[in-house]
Amino acid sequence: MALSPAAGGTPAGPTTSVALDLRTEIVTAGEVAFCLTDAGHLDRDESLAVTGPDGHPLDAREVGLHHHTHLHVVDAPRGELSVRYRATVRLDLLDPAPVTDADRFTDVLPSRYCPSDRVQGWAASEFAGVDDPWDLARRVAAWVHDRTAYTPGSTDAGDDALVPLHTGQGVCRDYAHLTVTLLRALEVPARYVSVYAPGLDPMDAHAVVETAVGDEWRLLDATRLAPRASMVRTGTGRDAADVALMTTLGAETGPFAMDVTATADPDLPVEDPDAVVVLG
């Protein structure tokens, strides 16, 4: 299926281009939901194709979630399932979303993977004496970066933020969960954001954090593996449970393989971890 661009015209400013190919085996037929297209408010040209066994095209119905996150749900028969997504996104047209009163309330609460209530006393002691919200947010992200080793395979989908906190290991999902957890424990609104990230090595889908500073959401990436300025939002939620790349609804799947490429045009930005970056 071809997805309509959010706005017409040929990209003239900086852009990020994304190519994703995903393959899995459907063992038991049922619904499968994907969260892999760029956020619905972005200025983009994109296409999505889902095919079943023998390359037969499958319809994907779109479901809108909070913060312009979109799911695409497929009634998947048994056999091989393939997803092909291509997009080019303009990065210079949107103002960042404001921090609403609802955000200030909901994004300081504990969630499935971010049990902030369990570390409040410790966090208050560890990060005492920092009053400026942006300084506090940067200090938290730097703390997570300095004390966590990026270690593929060190955690699994059931692990919450306390696992990388205790073991000192994780992947981008864990870095994001731990950053969100510590900020919420300090009563700073924070939310989990899935993105495509040019410059990421190894290339994959990526997870970062937005934190509320005044009326503005600012972007944090404790992994420091890619420049934030060329990242493109796909999903936004309380934690990874809200924006899982693939969710089964009655279906049973085997292992999946995914290839992702994300590139910045004209150039990959230079990253300064202390700089203010906002995500469209």
Side-chain angles (χ1 to χ4, degrees), residues 2-26:
L3 303 179
S4 300
T10 302
T15 63
T16 289
S17 296
V18 176
L20 176 144
D21 293 282
L22 183 151
R23 299 164 301 282
T24 190
E25 185 76 14
I26 304 299

Side-chain angles (χ1 to χ4, degrees), residues 38-268:
D38 297 323
H41 66 303
L42 298 177
D43 185 280
R44 71 212 184 279
D45 292 299
E46 62 180 357
S47 63
L48 175 70
V50 184
T51 55
D54 301 321
H56 180 72
L58 300 175
D59 290 331
R61 68 182 185 277
E62 188 173 287
V63 179
L65 303 179
H66 297 300
H67 310 301
H68 308 284
T69 302
H70 284 176
L71 294 181
H72 287 85
V73 183
V74 177
D75 292 317
R78 291 184 59 190
E80 185 176 85
L81 181 72
S82 299
V83 180
R84 182 182 188 274
Y85 178 64
R86 300 291 185 270
T88 298
V89 183
R90 286 193 62 175
L91 303 177
D92 59 347
L93 294 183
L94 286 175
D95 294 327
V99 181
T100 67
D101 287 339
D103 294 333
R104 295 183 202 280
F105 177 75
T106 59
D107 289 330
V108 295
L109 300 177
S111 61
R112 163 65 180 87
Y113 292 107
C114 300
S116 51
D117 54 324
R118 297 175 62 184
V119 295
Q120 281 182 315
W122 170 83
S125 175
E126 180 70 22
F127 298 98
V130 184
D131 296 323
D132 181 81
W134 181 231
D135 287 344
L136 179 59
R138 288 184 298 173
R139 180 174 166 182
V140 167
W143 191 98
V144 174
H145 173 267
D146 292 345
R147 289 164 176 78
T148 311
Y150 193 93
T151 312
S154 59
T155 57
D156 61 37
D159 290 336
D160 65 19
L162 300 187
V163 174
L165 177 63
H166 293 151
T167 66
Q169 299 182 89
V171 293
C172 64
R173 176 183 187 271
D174 305 298
Y175 281 70
H177 281 155
L178 183 51
T179 303
V180 168
T181 297
L182 296 180
L183 288 169
R184 289 179 184 168
L186 297 164
E187 299 185 349
V188 177
R191 61 194 192 184
Y192 182 101
V193 185
S194 57
V195 297
Y196 294 118
L200 187 66
D201 184 18
M203 181 57 68
D204 204 339
H206 195 44
V208 292
V209 174
E210 284 183 313
T211 185
V213 179
D215 293 327
E216 182 177 69
W217 287 107
R218 296 186 182 179
L219 191 61
L220 299 167
D221 183 6
T223 72
R224 299 185 183 177
L225 291 177
R228 292 167 293 155
S230 57
M231 292 179 180
V232 172
R233 183 193 307 270
T234 58
T236 309
R238 296 164 299 173
D239 55 35
D242 288 344
V243 291
L245 183 71
M246 184 173 69
T247 303
T248 58
L249 304 167
E252 180 183 354
T253 65
F256 74 90
M258 184 174 69
D259 297 313
V260 178
T261 302
T263 56
D265 184 33
D267 299 302
L268 192 67

